[in-house]
Amino acid sequence: MTKRLALVTFGCQMNVHDSQRIEELMLAAGYEIIADVEGADVVILNTCSVREKAEQKLRSEAGRLKKADVILVVAGCVAQQEGERLIKSMPYIDIVVGPDNLAELPALVRDAELGATPAVRTVFDVEDPRFLTNQVREGGVGASAYVTVMKGCNERCSFCIVPHTRGPERYRSARDIVHEVRALVDGGAREVVLLGQTVNSFMDPETPAEIDRDPDESQFPALLRRIAEEAPALDRLRYTSPHPRHLTASLVRAHADLAVLADHVHMPVQSGSDRMLKRMIRRYTREEYVSRVDALRTARPSLTMSTDIIVGFPGETAADFELTLSLVREVGFSALYGFKYSPRPFTPALRLEDDVSNEEKQTRLLALFEVSDALTRANLASMVGTRVEVLIEGPSRPGASTRVGRTRRNEIVHLPGTVGLDAGAVVVAEVARANKHSVEGRLESIKLPASAKVMQTHRRVALPVVQA
Ligand code: SAH
Ligand code: F3S
């Protein structure tokens, strides 16, 4: 009988991408993928450890499965961080597998099914990095696809565990990246999102590093240009997340030159106070961040910006936090992810006292959301009555008659009564109404019909993703 597998994804886009690749690996190994952990023979928890809450979620989810007769796999960042210790504290776990060892999953699961003792695989592939790529097959590509350009992180932001769980930076060759993008476009994908922890620090292992002697130049914009040239049928190109420190003048120029680049950049800032930025080891000032945003907006006036912010970092005073609020207003982010500082193992900030109380962090987070929600609402309200181009991603919920998609500026648009509209279609809609986080529109015309090959479900919704 075909074995059934359920996957639960915690955390970031990188994990969503990894989960999609796990799904493909396990499908190819003969497993059936089901949405619900009840009734599964194998459950894979793809975990996140960036904040403590995310790690707690793994523990409660794994605990819930303790008595079930399943092969339980813990993958991702908690697996990498804890390794053997996970099996010691939760002996009902069968497999612990880090982000660099996912390709071994089908074999590890087979061994577990045959009664093997618990296995732990958490080895970084530093010498010979491997990258999991999209398996392009009929009906298997979504309207939008993630493509990894690099993995790991060489920054040392003092709060962040990612350099520990994902290892040092390793880059794919531009040739391989372009090859994958072309295959996706041929398979019907309209949009590609390039992924990396600091995606714009990309360096092509096949290109000499001379280009980087000029501080205005860098290899990431060269990659964008090459994709634009060699995959001309691609409709939208996005990337996430750039580090402000690597946002060079040549990357800014790419936004002026390349029509395929979407009108949105997500660039984490973390704080508006130089004192905090320094303690966070972000290696830029508030002024530098703002001037880079200004340059991007000069190159692409229609650009929207979103960001990540941490409140209550050690030593953050009320005055520092006010500077964060004033920066958010000054830049006018259209969307924002805010987090309470959470001390993480293996991070430099552990040496600093976590001196902002949880109540104060909560108060600051709510104040931050008040400012950012107002900005989001104002942006969405300004869209009413305008025409926007929407890339359809699928039904708003499984079985719904409303289709949902995104504009080039990354706003979410719901189109009620559009059952016949397929994922991957690019349409023009008139915005009729603004909601809290999205707008509602009326379909006006179809600019590009969907390719018959595109998967008709919204992957990002179909896959359970647990936000921490
Ligand atoms: N460079 C990555 C960032 C990964 S972590 C990227 O691609 O976006 C995502 C966000 O989580 C960070 O930008 C930061 O805002 C937040 N974060 C990271 N460590 C944290 C911690 N210890 N406490 C609270 N928030 C944290
Ligand atoms: Fe983390 Fe900073 Fe890298 S937030 S992923 S150490 S850029």
Side-chain angles (χ1 to χ4, degrees):
M1 207 180 77
T2 313
K3 299 265 187 194
R4 282 165 306 181
L5 173 126
L7 240 166
V8 184
T9 307
F10 302 78
C12 66
Q13 288 104 333
M14 213 71 71
N15 265 12
V16 174
H17 169 270
D18 287 350
S19 284
Q20 290 170 352
R21 305 296 77 77
I22 294 173
E23 247 190 73
E24 288 164 355
L25 284 169
M26 298 307 283
L27 270 173
Y31 289 81
E32 180 195 342
I33 313 290
I34 60 170
D36 202 349
V37 293
E38 319 289 332
D41 303 298
V42 181
V43 174
I44 302 180
L45 305 176
N46 193 10
T47 62
C48 169
S49 65
V50 84
R51 285 167 293 277
E52 200 188 350
K53 223 165 103 191
E55 205 180 312
Q56 284 162 356
K57 281 203 175 151
L58 153 73
R59 292 186 192 274
S60 64
E61 190 72 30
R64 224 160 56 83
L65 293 163
K66 185 175 176 178
K67 291 203 183 67
D69 183 20
V70 291
I71 306 275
L72 181 56
V73 182
V74 177
C77 285
V78 182
Q80 186 68 39
Q81 175 196 316
E82 293 295 309
E84 200 80 49
R85 283 192 297 272
L86 272 178
I87 304 228
K88 292 225 167 74
S89 64
M90 294 185 277
Y92 43 90
I93 294 174
D94 296 286
I95 299 164
V96 173
V97 61
D100 279 4
N101 303 96
L102 297 177
E104 298 161 42
L105 261 177
L108 289 168
V109 173
R110 283 271 182 256
D111 289 349
E113 283 167 353
L114 296 173
T117 50
V120 178
R121 293 287 298 144
T122 53
V123 192
F124 288 135
D125 54 14
V126 180
E127 292 305 318
D128 184 16
R130 286 160 301 176
F131 292 89
L132 292 172
T133 57
N134 289 272
Q135 301 305 304
V136 180
R137 58 181 193 283
E138 193 91 354
V141 183
S144 175
Y146 291 123
V147 171
T148 315
V149 309
M150 49 105 62
K151 57 182 181 178
C153 183
N154 287 354
E155 302 293 320
R156 287 289 176 272
C157 303
S158 59
F159 51 80
C160 187
I161 196 175
V162 171
H164 180 80
T165 57
R166 296 264 170 173
E169 286 179 19
R170 282 142 293 163
Y171 315 104
R172 265 176 101 185
S173 73
R175 197 156 40 123
D176 286 354
I177 296 165
V178 172
H179 184 79
E180 187 178 2
V181 171
R182 287 182 61 120
L184 284 164
V185 174
D186 289 346
R190 290 275 190 234
E191 176 180 87
V192 160
V193 185
L194 302 178
L195 283 186
Q197 296 295 344
T198 56
V199 67
N200 54 338
S201 70
F202 167 79
M203 282 193 284
D204 184 3
E206 292 176 354
T207 302
E210 277 144 33
I211 185 172
D212 293 314
R213 294 220 185 100
D214 177 350
D216 280 352
E217 279 299 336
S218 55
Q219 295 200 10
F220 183 66
L223 174 68
L224 299 179
R225 286 178 195 276
R226 197 163 153 187
I227 291 172
E229 218 164 273
E230 296 184 35
L234 179 66
D235 199 57
R236 290 183 190 180
L237 182 58
R238 300 183 190 275
Y239 57 86
T240 198
S241 296
H243 190 291
R245 190 166 93 77
H246 300 286
L247 197 121
T248 55
S250 68
L251 178 50
V252 170
R253 272 197 304 279
H255 281 267
D257 297 345
L258 303 178
V260 70
L261 278 177
D263 296 337
H264 167 249
V265 173
H266 176 81
M267 184 158 74
V269 65
Q270 316 299 357
S271 170
S273 154
D274 284 343
R275 211 171 65 83
M276 287 299 110
L277 289 172
K278 196 152 191 188
R279 297 191 115 196
M280 290 174 166
I281 321 189
R282 289 291 292 178
R283 301 196 271 180
Y284 54 81
T285 62
R286 172 191 175 119
E287 197 188 324
E288 281 163 344
Y289 183 90
V290 170
S291 76
R292 276 159 215 197
V293 171
D294 287 346
L296 279 170
R297 283 190 169 145
T298 305
R300 185 65 74 89
S302 52
L303 198 77
T304 56
M305 295 286 312
S306 57
T307 200
D308 292 347
I309 288 196
I310 296 177
V311 301
F313 187 73
E316 186 186 73
T317 61
D320 291 312
F321 176 63
E322 277 306 317
L323 285 167
T324 294
L325 291 183
S326 78
L327 176 82
V328 170
R329 289 194 198 94
E330 184 179 344
V331 174
F333 295 105
S334 62
L336 175 156
Y337 298 88
F339 308 105
K340 292 190 269 186
Y341 169 67
S342 164
R344 303 310 293 135
F346 314 106
T347 58
L350 281 183
R351 286 195 294 266
L352 306 170
E353 193 197 339
D354 181 17
D355 57 357
V356 181
S357 70
N358 187 47
E359 293 73 48
E360 185 55 31
K361 284 178 188 166
Q362 185 64 24
T363 307
R364 290 183 192 176
L365 194 64
L366 292 178
L368 176 67
F369 288 150
E370 207 174 293
V371 171
S372 72
D373 283 350
L375 289 167
T376 302
R377 271 198 302 274
N379 178 49
L380 296 177
S382 76
M383 295 169 69
V384 174
T386 64
R387 276 183 184 74
V388 288
E389 193 188 289
V390 186
L391 169 61
I392 303 299
E393 292 179 346
S396 56
R397 277 173 287 106
S401 65
T402 296
R403 294 290 172 267
V404 65
R406 280 165 202 270
T407 66
R408 299 189 80 90
R409 292 159 46 115
N410 214 37
E411 293 116 349
I412 298 169
V413 183
H414 291 271
L415 299 171
T418 47
V419 187
L421 207 53
D422 290 332
V426 178
V427 305
V428 177
E430 187 182 334
V431 179
R433 214 177 70 172
N435 301 324
K436 198 164 175 223
H437 297 291
S438 63
V439 296
E440 229 172 83
R442 271 188 299 268
L443 176 67
E444 287 218 328
S445 59
I446 293 178
K447 199 176 155 206
L448 291 170
S451 149
K453 298 181 214 156
V454 171
M455 233 179 33
Q456 297 305 337
T457 46
H458 180 12
R459 285 198 78 118
R460 284 182 224 166
V461 171
L463 214 66
V465 178
V466 181
Q467 290 283 347

